[in-house]
Amino acid sequence: MRSASVPRAVAVCGAPGVGKSALIEGLLPLLRAARIRTAVVRRTKALAPGPLPGAEADRLLAAGALGCAVYDERRSLVVRQGRAAESHFISQFRDADLVLLEGFDHSFWPKLELVRPPVSDRAVCDPSTLLAVVTDAPLSLYGVPTLPLSPGPVSAFLTGWLRRQRGEPEPAGAPPAAPAPAGRGGRAAVLSVSDAAYAGERPDAAGPVAVRCLNGAGWRVVSTGLLPCDRAMLGAELRRLCGGADLVITVGGCGLSRWDCAPEAACDAGERAVPGLSAALRAGWLALSQNAVLDRGTAVIRDGALIVNLPGDPAVLPALLETLLAAAGDNAVF
């Protein structure tokens, strides 16, 4: 598969002892055989001290180095002082198609959850972020697909999911995608825009609220993501998302900061403006908060998809999404 500018990320999560590492290790050769270039990000409580190959990292760091790197013709390794977020490491694998995150139960990333009685009998993550449940028990949970605890079916599921994320056609003979839930039945994508959340300095509070509201209104959330305030990166991602979603929502990045650029990125990606919708959303927000007068969010259309900028305030998102979805629900094609 051709890699995207930002690889897709899926968290493989579950209670301790359910076999996350074993599943990931079993998936890697199958994904490689499917020509899906896959990287893995794993978080640990503490890195064991010790020298890097060819350099004594701890001694250099103690002497005042910000970080140190060592590499040869085959591999490279970097050690830095300070905390980093998983999004930083995802961005390091731009030549990958997919990044598997081991753990990250309470993150915003889409997830596969391992459920294995008696170790666990329910999801430990927010069910609204689940792509599927992986289990060796006869369970049906949360209205999402249930996959056998075997690398083969999980690899096939991830391959199909990645194709749909990119708007690529399914291969001949592939089973049809799962039907959308009752209601409007549209496909939605949520893209959080926050430098601080992307850097791991604070959690993304707005994105999960948007996902829950969309799911509750009968929309099928086909993609979630988190990016910094980078106009070129956001514009490219919005163009990509329009290939596989009817409604693309950004949350955050529409204020007056010199770095806020979600409206500009939406205009870069859009083909036609929808000023009436953005005006209606702003009027509804003004009834809740005076902050609405500082909003620069816009709404545009691209390739039959609607892109809408919403604020990053979780408190006002449910009301604004209610207004937005009432309007979007009346339009089968934008």
Side-chain angles (χ1 to χ4, degrees):
M1 280 191 176
R2 178 181 56 84
S3 63
S5 58
V6 179
R8 301 295 91 201
V10 173
V12 179
C13 61
V18 295
K20 298 183 289 289
S21 297
L23 178 61
I24 289 175
E25 291 172 12
L27 286 173
L28 291 174
L30 298 178
L31 292 170
R32 182 177 181 180
R35 303 184 67 182
I36 297 175
R37 293 173 290 185
T38 307
V40 178
V41 174
R42 177 181 291 169
R43 181 170 52 194
T44 184
K45 291 183 178 179
L47 290 172
L52 284 172
E56 294 184 2
D58 292 331
R59 182 167 59 84
L60 294 172
L61 296 175
L66 172 66
C68 53
V70 63
Y71 65 96
D72 60 21
E73 294 180 354
R74 296 178 54 248
R75 295 179 298 173
S76 61
L77 185 63
V78 176
V79 176
R80 291 178 56 95
Q81 295 278 25
R83 181 181 182 273
E86 67 272 15
S87 52
H88 167 77
F89 298 106
I90 292 171
S91 68
Q92 303 304 303
F93 295 111
R94 291 187 178 273
D95 55 344
D97 301 298
L98 176 67
V99 177
L100 296 178
L101 309 170
E102 183 175 333
F104 301 91
D105 300 343
H106 304 295
S107 69
F108 182 36
W109 304 106
K111 298 177 182 67
L112 299 175
E113 170 120 16
L114 275 70
V115 178
R116 301 185 68 185
V119 178
S120 66
D121 58 3
R122 61 179 61 87
V124 299
C125 73
D126 179 350
S128 71
T129 64
L130 278 175
L131 296 176
V133 170
V134 182
T135 182
D136 53 4
L139 298 175
S140 179
L141 301 172
Y142 311 112
V144 299
T146 300
L147 306 176
L149 184 55
S150 172
V154 178
S155 173
F157 177 87
L158 285 172
T159 301
W161 175 83
L162 190 57
R163 286 196 178 97
R164 290 189 293 275
Q165 286 284 291
R166 294 178 170 178
E168 297 174 358
E170 293 287 346
R184 165 65 173 81
R187 302 164 300 167
V190 176
L191 182 60
S192 296
V193 183
S194 170
D195 286 338
Y198 188 80
E201 296 171 2
R202 68 183 183 200
D204 173 24
V209 172
V211 170
R212 285 194 291 270
C213 291
L214 288 162
N215 285 335
W219 286 70
R220 180 162 54 100
V221 178
V222 296
S223 178
T224 59
L226 172 63
L227 288 178
C229 291
D230 182 301
R231 180 171 174 174
M233 187 183 295
L234 289 172
E237 182 67 354
L238 290 174
R239 294 183 188 96
R240 186 192 69 80
L241 290 171
C242 286
D246 305 301
L247 176 63
V248 179
I249 293 172
T250 71
V251 288
C254 351
L256 302 184
S257 161
R258 62 179 294 188
W259 307 113
D260 287 327
C261 60
E264 288 76 15
C267 290
D268 292 343
E271 298 165 340
R272 290 181 291 162
V274 191
L277 180 56
S278 52
L281 291 170
R282 197 167 291 117
W285 187 10
L286 187 58
L288 302 173
S289 170
Q290 291 295 314
N291 291 337
V293 300
L294 304 178
D295 176 63
R296 299 187 306 109
T298 189
V300 298
I301 299 170
R302 176 186 175 84
D303 292 338
L306 179 63
I307 303 173
V308 182
N309 301 136
L310 293 180
D313 181 358
V316 302
L317 277 176
L320 297 185
L321 280 164
E322 184 177 358
T323 299
L324 169 61
L325 297 180
D330 293 333
N331 293 272
V333 178
F334 299 113

